[in-house]
Amino acid sequence: MAEESATEIIVAGWMDYEPADRDTMLGHLVEVGKRTREAEPGCLDYAMTADPSDERRIRVYERWVSQQALDEHFTTAHIKDFRAATTGLTRVGVSMKIFSIGASRAMR
């Protein structure tokens, strides 16, 4: 069986929460991002930021060495903890996409 070559993965998009819940969710995302970057060598970048022009929106950007690394991310203890901690926060919209990267180069 041929070995599948690893293709970098980018997860990008946004999540909207009730304004009263956004900052709470963002705090949990900051913590899970820190734990992800520290514990998962397949994570190249993990950033969630508040949109300064929309009180509901959190912008999402993640970069992974492979789809397998992203899949394994969802099985970690820190993701289980994150899901438990954020139960009850009201998400009112979401648009997330996974991009498979065939090539990249430095911008300058």
Side-chain angles (χ1 to χ4, degrees), residues 1 7 23 32 38 46 49-50 55-56 62 66 71 73 78 98:
M1 181 182 286
T7 300
D23 288 345
V32 79
E38 289 172 353
Y46 198 99
T49 59
E55 65 183 2
R56 302 172 309 153
E62 303 174 29
S66 66
D71 293 343
H73 167 66
H78 50 269
I98 296 176

Side-chain angles (χ1 to χ4, degrees), residues 55-100:
E55 65 183 2
R56 302 172 309 153
R57 185 150 295 174
I58 297 171
R59 297 281 175 183
V60 176
Y61 176 82
E62 303 174 29
R63 190 169 143 236
W64 298 88
V65 297
S66 66
Q67 182 64 51
Q68 180 179 348
L70 176 59
D71 293 343
E72 290 171 1
H73 167 66
F74 293 115
T75 68
T76 62
H78 50 269
I79 287 297
K80 182 179 179 183
D81 294 344
F82 167 77
R83 288 181 175 152
T86 58
T87 297
L89 298 179
T90 305
R91 187 169 71 187
V92 295
V94 63
S95 176
M96 302 279 284
K97 293 191 178 192
I98 296 176
F99 300 88
S100 300

Side-chain angles (χ1 to χ4, degrees), residues 11-69:
V11 177
W14 54 264
M15 300 180 289
D16 285 349
Y17 283 83
E18 288 293 336
D21 289 342
R22 183 189 73 171
D23 288 345
T24 301
M25 174 54 93
L26 196 54
H28 290 295
L29 287 166
V30 167
E31 179 61 27
V32 79
K34 179 179 182 241
R35 291 175 68 186
T36 297
R37 287 187 302 273
E38 289 172 353
E40 297 183 58
C43 178
L44 301 171
D45 200 0
Y46 198 99
M48 312 297 171
T49 59
D51 187 314
S53 64
D54 187 334
E55 65 183 2
R56 302 172 309 153
R57 185 150 295 174
I58 297 171
R59 297 281 175 183
V60 176
Y61 176 82
E62 303 174 29
R63 190 169 143 236
W64 298 88
V65 297
S66 66
Q67 182 64 51
Q68 180 179 348

